[in-house]
Amino acid sequence: MSEKTQLQAASDVNQVLGKALETWETEYPKIRSIRSYEEVFWSNQNLKPVEDAILETGITLEQIQSAEHRLKRFAPFFMEAFPETRSTQGLLESKIRRVESFQAELEKTPFAVPFGRLMLKLDSHLPISGSIKARGGIYEVLQHAEQLAVEAGLLTPGMSYAAFAEPRFKKFFSDYSVAVGSTGNLGLSIGIISAALGFKAQVHMSSDAKAWKKALLRQKGVEVFEYDSDYSVAVEQGRKEAEKDPKTYFVDDENSLNLFLGYAVAALRLKGQLDHLGYTPSEASPLFVYLPCGVGGGPGGVAFGLKMLFGEHVHCYFAEPTHSPCMLLGMMTDQHDAVSVQDFGLDNRTIADGLAVGRPSLFVGKVLRHLLDGVFSVTDEHMLSDLAMMADFESLRLEPSALAGISGPSWLKRDTAVYKALLKRYTPEALNQSIHLSWATGGSMVPEEVMEKDIEHGRKLYKKTL
Ligand SMILES: *Cc1c(COP(=O)(O)O)cnc(C)c1O
């Protein structure tokens, strides 16, 4: 944080939206713990029947399916431009996998999984950019490219999208730019796909962005702007720059429906994977999903898609760092982007760079207001300790953000009110048949030496908890 914003945070900290902090703490007692950087769990008391809540949003299954179809149309392009996608016929998808050894190891800690099986969704290993951003970010650029190509008469009905890998398409797109603000991974996804299509790309990076992510982008010919401030400022700068040039398209991580739809496609794909396991979320075997949350678009899109497909039998929770619980504060107070973590005296400094966001998306907060089951927070030490355990017991290498969700299952019992409510709804047998799916949102692109350092650090912390 710059000195100026630090001073500002200190002077404004006694009032938020004209209300004294003590009043906020009286109205929302969890704010006291949040302000002390403690881990908390918030359970949403505003849930509505899923069908009603979805209708209110105005977003339809057809829209998600149409996004899926667009991704399919681009499959031949992916196979041309990114040979690593040939084994999946040009689809960008990740596996789900059980983590039995990890789950057994958790038993020795205060964060044991209370019932059911723990699984991971390995978006950490998505092709092209190695994070959940390969879903929404890439999708939105494709959508834009398709629109430009159709308008210019380059793309005609019946043509294979392999054409997007041809020099004449690249030459056409080289007249246009794509811009985005990012803590790192979104910039990486959009930078890589834009460069592959021939667009000029400008990525506005917050101070959290890791050096290796910036270096990789520059190597791909992407123009990287760095700011000594947090994500919201990087986005604002990106938006301003883009507005100056009609040929620059700004990917708006805070408000984009397209981005959201791209993420939501994950739900359709997951359904296929669960079918394959012979598992359907139901009264007899509910599904619990834990999604690391930054500004909210990624986890929001996925959670929305899952609610659309599985209705009342999927329960979705967001996970945030204790230093950046923006969605937690936004949803709990119903103030969404009108409040930031800095307003409440928090520093938005976390090792989980993908989640270092101080102000949540209003769009996502509104869409999920009656759908999201809860939000919880997790310390940096906790994420690092889980990161080391995942490396040591499952040989899985993830970035810190990707571990935020893994303590989610423990809250379902640690929070006695939640446990009681669950036992009212489900039989103990049903809970034992449940699956906990922790979304592992990134990691495969982290350089070896950075990864080793985090693992080493995490091992020390892990030993302390035993
Ligand atoms: C961006 C990101 C998230 C969260 O996505 P948002 O859309 O910002 O909420 C989670 N994990 C990783 C690794 C990310 O890069």
Side-chain angles (χ1 to χ4, degrees), residues 321-398:
T322 50
H323 284 249
S324 311
C326 66
M327 193 59 81
L328 173 58
L329 282 166
M331 291 203 71
M332 182 169 73
T333 62
D334 214 24
Q335 293 294 340
H336 305 286
D337 66 345
V339 291
S340 71
V341 304
Q342 289 93 341
D343 288 346
F344 288 91
L346 301 179
D347 62 9
N348 191 28
R349 288 263 181 207
T350 168
I351 185 157
D353 52 320
L355 314 180
V357 177
R359 196 182 289 279
S361 158
L362 170 65
F363 164 65
V364 172
K366 274 187 170 162
V367 166
L368 291 183
R369 192 189 220 153
H370 305 300
L371 284 168
L372 185 68
D373 294 81
V375 187
F376 59 94
S377 61
V378 47
T379 64
D380 280 17
E381 291 74 19
H382 199 160
M383 284 183 265
L384 279 171
S385 156
D386 284 342
L387 180 148
M389 277 170 71
M390 206 53 92
D392 289 343
F393 293 94
E394 300 286 348
S395 302
L396 265 177
R397 297 173 155 236
L398 305 174

Side-chain angles (χ1 to χ4, degrees), residues 11 100 133 261 291 435:
S11 67
E100 267 173 315
K133 302 296 193 307
L261 293 172
L291 295 145
I435 287 184

Side-chain angles (χ1 to χ4, degrees), residues 131-133 185 253 263 292-299 354-355 399 401-402 441-442:
S131 84
I132 187 171
K133 302 296 193 307
N185 285 342
D253 198 16
Y263 285 121
C293 175
V295 74
L355 314 180
E399 62 181 274
S401 301
T441 46

